[in-house]
Amino acid sequence: PESTGYETILVDRPRPGVARITLNRPKALNALNLQVMGEVTAAAAELDRDPSVGAIVLTGSAKAFAAGADIKEMQPKSFSDVYAADWFAGWDALTRVRTPLIAAVAGYALGGGCELAMMCDVLLAADTAKFGQPEITLGVIPGMGGSQRLTRAVGKAKAMDLCLTGRTMGADEAERAGLVSRIVPAADLVDEALGVAEKIAGMSTPAAVMVTEAVDRAFETTLTEGVLFERRLFHSTFATADQKEGMAAFVEKRPPIFRDV
Ligand code: CAA
């Protein structure tokens, strides 16, 4: 039912506990216009509210994850237009999704496409993936977090190189730099991503959400505060039935059955 009404994305549930959002504007290489932003954030929020969804895969096509924000939509805008609309701020809604998000990137992930992938919790790349922040070639700069998330992911030198020259970086370089966690042959990308999502969906949901909160905190705070935050969350897992089940299952040498409570 969640697919109804969307025109720029497809939403389905290909595996138990796993939902998939597929960007689907093939003629524009999945350029991210206002409609895509509205649909992706609405679909992700709806899936996030559904307790049967334990992980969400976000993907595009073989040619393009997304070739950036929609340049044709932005071209006529004035400063007042983009400032008044707080252009791109709506994408922040995706970072408030608590269900683990797995980006599966094949082909172009440029500008807003790279930034969208970096908003996800796990980033998997096909060997065909090409990442970049080419905004400078248009006389603008990244606007969906690229200068911040790319710098945190790959460090200052490479972030400056990519953002100042607009060059693209292939999957190998992206993995070496720490932007992506795995490279997969293009033909296997979606299967691999769904497998990762299924595995995460099979974990205790409270534990999975807590671990994303703890890792994300590393980018927001000092080591002392982050380690304390982690330890308090760790303590709180002992309030869950899943901690009892997980540890009992280990001791009894059987697989755990998590109930997400
Ligand atoms: N916005 C709007 N339309 C786009 C687009 C974009 N970002 N990227 C591609 N398209 C459109 C093209 O205009 C073309 O449409 P027409 O057939 O109507 O001409 C169609 O998609 C196919 O694209 P190409 O013919 O260019 O395909 P290609 O294979 O020759 O080249 C490409 C692929 C190198 C990715 C090239 O399309 C390209 O350079 N795209 C723009 C990349 C870019 O600059 N992205 C950053 C956008 S700004 C941004 O994202 C701001 C931000 O921080 C959020």
Side-chain angles (χ1 to χ4, degrees), residues 70-249:
D70 191 318
I71 299 165
K72 293 166 187 168
E73 184 179 57
M74 293 185 288
Q75 184 190 5
K77 302 285 181 202
S78 67
F79 164 77
S80 308
D81 293 334
V82 294
Y83 183 71
D86 204 2
W87 203 256
F88 296 143
W91 283 107
D92 289 351
L94 200 65
T95 66
R96 290 191 291 273
V97 168
R98 302 174 80 211
T99 308
L101 278 168
I102 296 119
V105 174
Y108 296 111
L110 302 180
C114 184
E115 294 167 299
L116 178 58
M118 291 191 293
M119 287 179 204
C120 296
D121 299 300
V122 180
L123 211 172
L124 306 179
D127 48 13
T128 58
K130 294 176 217 38
F131 299 90
Q133 297 291 158
E135 287 88 347
I136 193 145
T137 66
L138 302 165
V140 296
I141 74 165
M144 281 169 56
S147 68
Q148 305 304 299
R149 292 198 178 91
L150 187 64
T151 306
R152 281 164 167 77
V154 306
K156 172 176 167 174
K158 206 174 275 287
M160 283 286 192
D161 175 353
L162 290 162
C163 292
L164 280 170
T165 67
R167 77 174 173 91
T168 59
M169 146 168 102
D172 284 334
E173 185 180 356
E175 192 196 28
R176 276 200 309 276
L179 179 64
V180 312
S181 65
R182 311 182 190 185
I183 304 177
V184 183
D188 306 332
L189 175 71
V190 171
D191 249 12
E192 176 91 2
L194 294 177
V196 170
E198 195 175 357
K199 181 155 200 169
I200 294 170
M203 305 296 180
S204 164
T205 298
V209 173
M210 282 184 205
V211 89
T212 63
E213 289 176 337
V215 172
D216 283 341
R217 199 48 86 96
F219 297 103
E220 304 284 352
T221 193
T222 63
L223 183 61
T224 303
E225 289 300 322
V227 168
L228 177 61
F229 180 79
E230 176 199 77
R231 195 163 64 244
R232 293 296 177 241
L233 282 180
F234 169 78
H235 296 158
S236 70
T237 61
F238 286 71
T240 67
D242 285 344
Q243 175 268 333
K244 311 292 173 231
E245 167 63 10
M247 292 192 178

